[in-house]
Structure formats: C-alpha cells, structure tokens
Amino acid sequence: MTSRPAPYAPQRRPARATRTRILEAAQQELGRNPDSSLADIAQAAGVARRTVYMHFAGRAALVEGLAADAGEAIRLAVTVGKTPSPDPASALARFVLTLWPVGDRYRTLIALACRDLGADRVSELLSPARDTVAGILARGQRQGVFHTSVPPGPLSRALEAHLLALLDSVNSGTWGDDGTGAATAALIAAGPDGRSSSASSWSR
C-alpha cells in the first residue's frame, strides 16, 4: 500500500523559499541600516510582517537565522578548503580565497556581532575556520615558512581580526576585493619568506 505524504509536505518548499527571501532581504536592509525594523525587512522581502513572524519570533531570531546560515557556509568552506597542500603558504592563501566569498556574503553580521550575537556566538561561528588556520600556521612554523614570534593560536586570532576588518572596509564601501588582496594580507601577516609575498601565485 502506497503511503500518502503528510498534508503539509507540499508546503515545505515554498516555506523554505520564503524564509530564504526574508533572510536575503534582512542582509540587504541590515547592511544598509543595522537598525532596520522587521517591517522594513518584510517590505524589502515583499511579504507581510506577519509572514516574517511566522518564520522568526523577532529580530534576535532573524539575526540568529543569518548566523546559522553563515555558520553552515563556513563549515562547508572549511571542508572544501582542506584540500591537502604540501606548501603552508599556498594552503593559507587558498583557504582565505575559499572563505572570502562566504565572509563577503555575510559581512552584514560584522556590524551586528557585538550588539545582536555576542562574543561567544561569534567565536562559535568562526571556530572551524580559526582552528584550520591555526593548523596551517603551526605546520608553516615547523617548516620555517612562517615566523614563530607569535604562537599559531594567537596568530590565527590576529589574522581573523585583520580579515574581519578588511571585510568591514568592503561593507562600508572604502575598499573592494575578490579575496586576492585579503589572502596577500594574511600571507604578509603570517610572515612567509619572499617566495610567497603575493597571493596571486597561489590563486591558480
């Protein structure tokens, strides 16, 4: 006997599409103005405000929805970016290039991090990338490719802050980058030798 799908099954796909549209509108509106209301976001998404409340209980839940999507994108990028490379400088540059589009897509969250997410949640979201970079730095330090004046853990946090500041510059419109400049900045901060002073040679 063929089982019938649950009555609500056909509604799942449209509901997901509506949720995605609301989150995309939230990114746009909150990037334009961090104080944008749910009514502003609903209007930008082309839905009624009550529709927003059907998916998100309030502003905090909406921002958390953005954070959850960003976290999943980071985890996916970390998985993709873990392609083995014998050269730590190449591995670092490629990892930054892999993560940059994710950071660029969700850079609105940078402005919302302190007021809406909190330091612990931000740390949780970034920890997969942070741990991966620390591993690359440790390997590079052991091989003499990166400087050893700062341990891998703190240096990874420093690179993270540096890259977030660059993303914030993109968000404010004072800089534009496809990730190559950011990767070069990471290489310079890590202190590799003269062979790898530019990310352009590692982006191929």
Side-chain angles (χ1 to χ4, degrees):
M1 179 177 177
T2 304
S3 60
R4 296 181 179 180
Y8 55 83
Q11 300 176 6
R12 289 176 179 171
R13 186 172 297 174
R16 286 197 298 268
T18 300
R19 179 184 183 277
T20 298
R21 188 162 74 249
I22 292 170
L23 288 175
E24 288 175 347
Q27 286 190 64
Q28 176 184 344
E29 290 302 303
L30 293 172
R32 179 184 59 81
N33 177 13
D35 294 318
S36 293
S37 66
L38 291 184
D40 296 329
I41 293 169
Q43 182 177 10
V47 299
R49 186 165 57 176
R50 66 177 178 275
T51 302
V52 176
Y53 280 108
M54 288 174 61
H55 293 270
F56 305 100
R59 177 191 170 89
L62 179 59
V63 173
E64 176 54 34
L66 286 174
D69 283 4
E72 183 59 32
I74 290 172
R75 287 189 292 272
L76 179 60
V78 166
T79 301
V80 172
K82 282 185 175 179
T83 303
S85 174
D87 179 15
S90 176
L92 178 60
R94 288 176 179 171
F95 190 69
V96 173
L97 287 166
T98 299
L99 278 176
W100 186 259
V102 177
D104 189 42
R105 174 171 173 76
Y106 292 100
R107 64 180 186 267
T108 297
L109 288 173
I110 298 173
L112 303 175
C114 293
R115 57 179 281 181
D116 289 286
L117 291 175
D120 289 344
R121 181 62 172 131
V122 172
S123 180
E124 179 186 357
L125 291 171
L126 296 176
S127 63
R130 183 184 299 159
D131 293 343
T132 300
V133 170
I136 295 172
L137 293 173
R139 181 157 57 91
Q141 289 181 347
R142 288 194 301 269
Q143 295 180 14
V145 177
F146 299 143
H147 67 74
T148 57
S149 56
V150 181
L155 182 55
S156 177
R157 295 292 295 268
L159 289 179
E160 174 189 301
H162 189 41
L163 293 173
L164 287 174
L166 292 178
L167 279 170
D168 193 40
S169 295
V170 173
N171 201 35
S172 65
T174 58
W175 191 53
D177 186 43
D178 63 356
T180 304
T184 299
L187 288 170
I188 293 172
D193 61 28
R195 294 181 301 107
S196 46
S197 58
S198 172
S200 59
S201 59
W202 310 113
S203 59
R204 298 183 180 87

